[in-house]
Amino acid sequence: MNLFSRRRFLRITAGTLAAAGLGPALLGGPRARAAGLGGALQTIPTFCDICFWKCGAVATVRDGKLWKIEGNPKDPLSQGRLCPRGTGGIGATFDPDRLRRPLLRAKVRGEEQWNVVSWDEALGFTAEKMKKIAAEYGPEAMGMFSHGLGGNFLKHTLKAYGAVNFAAPSFAQCRGPRDVGFRLTFGDDPGSPERTDIAHAKCLVLIGSHLGENMHNTQVQEFAQAVANGCTVIVADPRFSVAASKAKHYLPVKPGTDIALLLAWMHVLVKEKLYDVEYVTKHGYGFEQFAAYLEPFTPEWAYPETGISPDVIRETAREMGRHHPATLVHPGRHSTWYGDDTQRSRAVALLNALLGSWGREGGFYIPSSMELPGYPYPAYPPKGEKGKVDNPGKKYPFAHEAISTGIREATITGAPYPIKGWLTYAVNLMYALPNQAETIKAIEALDLLAVVDVIPSETAGWADVVLPEATYLERHDDLNVELFRDSFIALRQPVVPAPDEQKPNWWIAKELATKLGLERYYPWKDIEEYLGHRLAKGGYSFDELKKNGIILGPKVPRTYEEGVEPTFETPSKKIEFYSTQLQEKGFDPIPKYTPPDPVPRGTFRLLTGRAPTHSFSRTQTNPLLHDVMSENEVWLNAKEAKRLGVKSGDKVRLKNQDGVVSELVKVKATERIRPDCVFMVHGFGHTSKGLKRAYRKGASDSQLQTRYRTDPLMGGTGMSMNFVSVELEPS
Ligand SMILES: Nc1nc2c(c(=O)[nH]1)N[C@H]1C(S)=C(S)[C@@H](COP(=O)(O)OP(=O)(O)OC[C@H]3O[C@@H](n4cnc5c(=O)[nH]c(N)nc54)[C@H](O)[C@@H]3O)O[C@H]1N2
Ligand SMILES: Nc1nc2c(c(=O)[nH]1)N[C@H]1C(S)=C(S)[C@@H](COP(=O)(O)OP(=O)(O)OC[C@H]3O[C@@H](n4cnc5c(=O)[nH]c(N)nc54)[C@H](O)[C@@H]3O)O[C@H]1N2
Ligand code: SF4
Ligand SMILES: [Mo]
């Protein structure tokens, strides 16, 4: 602490606090300071919501105004530091484009013409429509899409109403294939936050996972630690990512050929007996069949598929073998790419199995969470005969969560039964689901689309009723109790009031329940009563939580090295090198490589990813984050750019195989990408007129992803099957 702030610190007195009318909980204990510049500084712990990592944060309010937000040093997820998005998160509160009042659609759907109404009218309208849907089609006809913790209370209201169809695009459009691939192999998934012990890895393999641009905070911090400790980094990516710049080996793999590379790596490990023989003998099931299966998949076989030379494949496999079991082949997260994604993720899991990294230091630790009882609500109404619509007849046998695109399909077709209402919470379906035309077709078949958001997203533009939520810095949410290395309970609490008529999700959910005649499902008067009740029942102090933002559990052993034997919840109770579950359902018991569709002449495969300063399609209007990056660019191989006569900074349009043309987007001509693909950051090119700051800036990958291939195991939608040509603007 420097002298200046120390003097400020010493000025704090009980009198100043009382005069400012601040409760001790709001003052955040030891971090509280008084400022000489005409007012008090308050520090309030909470957790971030710019993405779903939920980093513990401490916000500082100066003269009643939100000033800054930093990491909470007590929090194991942030370890005292936020990512750039988290730091810029405060911009969400003063975003001029944010929603302010409830809106009812004035004209035709999608025209974004609204009547400003009261909450009473907006929720009355929603409840009436929902009652009508329940009466005509049954409550199962009401579906809900959500992402994140904030959806909990609305889900509760909808369950009380009798709804059964709940989905999140974070499954079938994100980590679903990965989770299923790992479950089939180890009996458990990598989790969110991932159970990766990156900090202690001696060799880290990133196959398409672009940590450093993908800014999941703890992982990026640990990645930096690992690099500082001399960890060998191997990156396989068609694009020279930020992570690739830290790598000893960079493999510019041909898009869609990861399974070939993974099979060849495993071939070398088995052939040269570089795998963890003891671990595999003890925990493996079906290893002999697996080893025999690998026989033909030599590095020479993989070379023409992947473009990676046999000596590089051998050298990198040996490097992995040398450091095992502290070799971590990162599971990635977003894994809906080519339609055979579960098998790709299963191959990643099998490579980890060979290296013995599951349950090991520098590999995948065994996480735990705190025990915290739920609220004792009355039982939900009994479920009817109908079941869920997203996966009829268990068509996708290994889906363990609902498939968003399955609900969309049922909405369009009316089968297995009609879906007539959607409630969305913190999802932008127009951007999250591939093929926007299908999303619109589904919306047109609805009697009700109610959208809860903080900004007028593209999906809100199609809504009948728009319910404006208070941002995460203006509200409480449910408690965060997650599986992680250190178990904890974290609190989100308001830092500043909502500026207009925005309301928190719990309030919206409770009021909607009341309008539906379901008030008995909300026996608590407000969220503090609800949170206090849960914490008291668990034996935790609400006051401590308000003050620190976090309650930490005891440290317990996490790895084999610390004395914990891993267990495997597969049918054989072992690591399944050969999967009988897959065989029984008619799928390949060991992953099979299928070459990707060839890239049509004159086009490029469209790949997408993240930028460090933006989250999905949710941050482009945030004034602070917009300032850092206001539009995306299309990465184009330098030689291809030259051939096409374009240079960095030129504006082009991308046209996909189905004739869809993008907004104008700047070219980034670079050696950092293969010549057969282009890359752009997801979330830009907004077309909602209400998003003034971001309107038509950059291009939207969602608009260009008209094609997708569904994963037959779990219904994930592979979206990297779209090809674009570069269209020059006449000058
Ligand atoms: N084309 C394409 N599609 C993708 C992806 C891709 O890279 N490309 N990525 C996929 C992945 S990995 C995922 S996880 C999903 C993510 O899909 P979504 O979860 O739908 O993500 P976003 O596009 O960020 O939409 C979030 C919406 O929540 C709103 N929001 C933000 N904060 C709040 C809040 O506090 N309260 C409320 N009520 N709303 C809020 C935002 O304004 C935005 O409209 O998309 C998947 N779909
Ligand atoms: N800043 C920021 N960070 C985020 C998010 C955000 O919105 N913003 N979102 C979070 C979420 S929900 C998710 S799911 C993750 C997503 O992040 P990741 O799990 O890392 O997944 P993707 O975004 O699909 O990864 C894209 C990378 O894969 C490469 N790639 C494309 N095709 C192939 C291929 O065939 N083979 C190989 N080997 N590589 C390929 C691309 O060039 C790119 O570098 O990011 C998280 N972190
Ligand atoms: S990773 Fe960044 S945006 Fe996500 S919760 Fe943490 S600080 Fe916020
Ligand atoms: Mo995701």
Side-chain angles (χ1 to χ4, degrees):
M1 186 185 290
N2 64 30
L3 245 183
F4 184 78
S5 58
R6 180 161 182 80
R7 200 165 57 232
R8 307 264 166 271
F9 182 71
L10 292 174
R11 268 209 211 141
I12 267 206
T13 63
T16 353
L17 307 189
L22 308 165
L26 285 188
L27 277 154
R31 290 176 68 91
R33 294 172 201 162
L37 305 169
L41 292 190
Q42 288 169 260
T43 57
I44 303 162
T46 184
F47 60 88
C48 181
D49 195 31
I50 297 297
C51 84
F52 306 98
W53 201 255
K54 310 186 191 80
C55 293
V58 178
T60 305
V61 174
R62 183 169 159 178
D63 281 338
K65 284 204 179 123
L66 182 55
W67 182 29
K68 63 174 176 178
I69 190 160
E70 295 160 294
N72 182 349
K74 298 189 179 95
D75 172 69
L77 286 169
S78 75
Q79 303 176 40
R81 279 170 290 178
L82 299 181
C83 88
R85 299 168 295 155
T87 305
I90 57 171
T93 65
F94 51 83
D95 182 348
D97 287 338
R98 64 185 288 195
L99 292 165
R100 301 189 181 277
R101 286 171 191 84
L103 305 173
L104 276 185
R105 175 163 64 83
K107 293 201 173 145
V108 215
R109 274 201 183 124
E111 285 201 353
E112 299 170 65
Q113 309 263 351
W114 310 103
N115 291 321
V116 175
V117 295
S118 66
W119 274 101
D120 192 48
E121 264 177 279
L123 291 173
F125 171 87
T126 311
E128 281 318 304
K129 287 270 184 189
M130 282 174 68
K131 283 184 194 162
K132 208 158 167 255
I133 289 170
E136 280 178 37
Y137 304 94
E140 297 87 352
M142 187 73 208
M144 179 173 165
F145 299 89
S146 67
H147 195 174
L149 196 66
N152 285 8
F153 295 108
L154 282 156
K155 266 189 211 161
H156 172 59
T157 298
L158 259 72
K159 283 184 186 166
Y161 159 88
V164 294
N165 292 301
F166 298 90
S170 50
F171 182 69
Q173 283 69 47
C174 173
R175 57 178 169 69
R178 177 199 76 173
D179 290 358
V180 175
F182 272 68
R183 279 179 180 219
L184 286 166
T185 311
F186 295 113
D188 205 354
D189 55 54
S192 172
E194 284 82 8
R195 50 163 76 181
T196 45
D197 188 17
I198 298 173
H200 300 109
K202 296 206 177 83
C203 177
L204 176 67
V205 184
L206 299 172
I207 176 156
S209 172
H210 60 325
L211 286 185
E213 289 158 279
N214 156 357
M215 264 295 161
H216 275 167
N217 190 358
T218 330
Q219 299 204 48
V220 178
Q221 291 189 33
E222 290 198 23
F223 182 30
Q225 268 171 275
V227 171
N229 294 339
C231 169
T232 297
V233 178
I234 300 171
V235 172
D237 194 312
R239 184 183 63 97
F240 190 85
S241 59
V242 169
S245 69
K246 312 290 172 216
K248 178 168 170 192
H249 303 278
Y250 165 60
L251 285 60
V253 65
K254 181 175 159 192
T257 67
D258 286 1
I259 296 182
L261 178 61
L262 289 156
L263 289 174
W265 271 338
M266 295 194 282
H267 171 98
V268 177
L269 286 170
V270 171
K271 195 93 191 159
E272 301 187 10
K273 253 201 167 196
L274 300 172
Y275 66 98
D276 194 328
V277 178
E278 201 189 319
Y279 180 92
V280 168
T281 311
K282 187 168 173 194
H283 300 297
Y285 172 86
F287 181 73
E288 288 69 30
Q289 281 144 298
F290 173 74
Y293 175 85
L294 288 177
E295 194 61 36
F297 302 120
T298 60
E300 284 69 22
W301 165 81
Y303 180 30
E305 300 300 326
T306 59
I308 308 300
S309 70
D311 51 324
V312 172
I313 298 180
R314 281 207 172 79
E315 198 184 336
T316 43
R318 287 175 188 150
E319 189 95 66
M320 289 180 218
R322 197 172 306 137
H323 297 289
H324 86 75
T327 296
L328 171 64
V329 187
H330 197 284
R333 185 177 178 104
H334 179 219
S335 46
T336 43
W337 289 352
Y338 300 97
D340 58 355
D341 304 299
T342 302
Q343 291 285 16
R344 176 188 164 279
S345 285
R346 184 162 140 72
V348 173
L350 289 168
L351 178 56
N352 277 296
L354 279 181
L355 294 161
S357 66
W358 190 260
R360 302 294 264 277
E361 190 176 292
F364 296 82
Y365 64 80
I366 298 154
S368 67
S369 69
M370 307 266 276
E371 291 280 324
L372 187 68
Y375 194 90
Y377 287 123
Y380 295 128
K383 286 193 181 121
E385 303 276 275
K386 281 180 168 169
K388 299 176 184 176
V389 286
D390 64 291
N391 190 7
K394 277 237 153 220
K395 181 160 78 164
Y396 305 109
F398 297 101
H400 59 271
E401 289 183 30
I403 303 162
S404 322
T405 29
I407 298 184
R408 180 176 76 178
E409 201 177 312
T411 310
I412 296 171
T413 61
Y417 58 82
I419 292 289
K420 287 291 168 187
W422 287 2
L423 173 69
T424 75
Y425 177 86
V427 288
N428 185 6
L429 296 178
M430 287 295 290
Y431 266 61
L433 308 183
N435 197 318
Q436 295 184 332
E438 279 183 52
T439 306
I440 293 170
K441 203 165 166 195
I443 292 172
E444 280 172 344
L446 294 173
D447 292 344
L448 171 69
L449 174 59
V451 169
V452 187
D453 209 303
V454 289
I455 49 173
S457 72
E458 281 69 18
T459 311
W462 283 90
D464 303 312
V465 52
V466 181
L467 306 169
E469 193 179 19
T471 70
Y472 69 106
L473 291 165
E474 300 154 352
R475 66 174 197 249
H476 282 99
D477 261 313
D478 210 343
L479 299 161
N480 183 23
V481 190
E482 243 159 8
L483 284 166
F484 191 57
R485 181 191 280 126
D486 308 286
S487 52
F488 63 85
I489 301 173
L491 174 72
R492 178 172 288 145
Q493 57 186 339
V495 173
V496 284
D500 306 285
E501 286 176 30
Q502 303 92 342
K503 294 285 185 188
N505 59 68
W506 65 265
W507 183 92
I508 302 172
K510 190 174 191 300
E511 290 299 306
L512 180 61
T514 306
K515 293 234 175 324
L516 288 165
L518 299 167
E519 54 272 48
R520 70 179 182 288
Y521 286 92
Y522 284 88
W524 39 268
K525 123 179 141 297
D526 61 20
I527 185 95
E528 287 224 32
E529 188 179 311
Y530 163 89
L531 297 172
H533 186 96
R534 282 190 73 190
L535 288 161
K537 253 181 88 186
Y540 302 107
S541 156
F542 196 3
D543 284 341
E544 186 191 334
L545 190 56
K546 285 180 187 170
K547 201 171 97 188
N548 294 325
I550 190 134
I551 295 174
L552 286 171
K555 291 239 180 250
V556 294
R558 294 268 162 254
T559 57
Y560 184 82
E561 288 76 3
E562 291 172 348
V564 201
E565 275 284 329
T567 54
F568 306 99
E569 295 307 316
T570 56
S572 62
K573 301 286 173 207
K574 295 205 166 206
I575 300 173
E576 303 216 331
F577 284 96
Y578 183 94
S579 170
T580 44
Q581 294 189 75
L582 284 173
Q583 188 207 18
E584 276 162 22
K585 299 280 180 203
F587 297 110
D588 298 311
I590 306 170
K592 193 175 100 192
Y593 169 68
T594 322
D597 295 339
V599 182
R601 253 182 97 85
T603 70
F604 304 87
R605 187 182 292 275
L606 175 63
L607 304 182
T608 73
R610 310 290 181 230
T613 45
H614 283 280
S615 282
F616 315 101
S617 67
R618 55 169 48 205
T619 50
Q620 288 71 29
T621 58
N622 174 316
L624 300 178
L625 299 177
H626 180 273
D627 232 27
V628 186
M629 180 178 177
S630 58
E631 60 190 300
N632 59 358
E633 296 170 312
V634 55
W635 293 42
L636 176 64
N637 177 273
K639 281 205 190 91
E640 293 297 313
K642 199 161 171 203
R643 190 177 59 79
L644 292 166
V646 290
K647 53 184 190 316
S648 284
D650 285 355
K651 289 208 164 185
V652 297
R653 289 182 199 274
L654 301 177
K655 182 172 170 189
N656 83 353
Q657 68 283 331
D658 297 319
V660 174
V661 181
S662 76
E663 298 297 333
L664 281 171
V665 58
K666 272 189 193 154
V667 169
K668 175 185 172 107
T670 172
E671 300 289 347
R672 287 176 57 189
I673 188 160
R674 287 175 55 100
D676 51 3
C677 50
V678 293
F679 171 86
M680 60 189 202
V681 171
H682 170 64
F684 287 83
H686 282 285
T687 51
S688 162
K689 293 188 205 88
L691 301 172
K692 293 193 187 69
R693 193 185 298 267
Y695 187 62
R696 293 182 187 270
K697 287 190 183 156
S700 159
D701 59 331
S702 310
Q703 186 192 20
L704 295 166
Q705 288 171 335
T706 47
R707 291 207 184 153
Y708 58 95
R709 185 170 292 158
T710 308
D711 189 318
L713 276 72
M714 48 63 68
T717 52
M719 309 185 209
S720 303
M721 13 251 329
N722 291 276
F723 302 102
V724 293
S725 57
V726 174
E727 308 284 307
L728 310 185
E729 278 294 287
S731 48

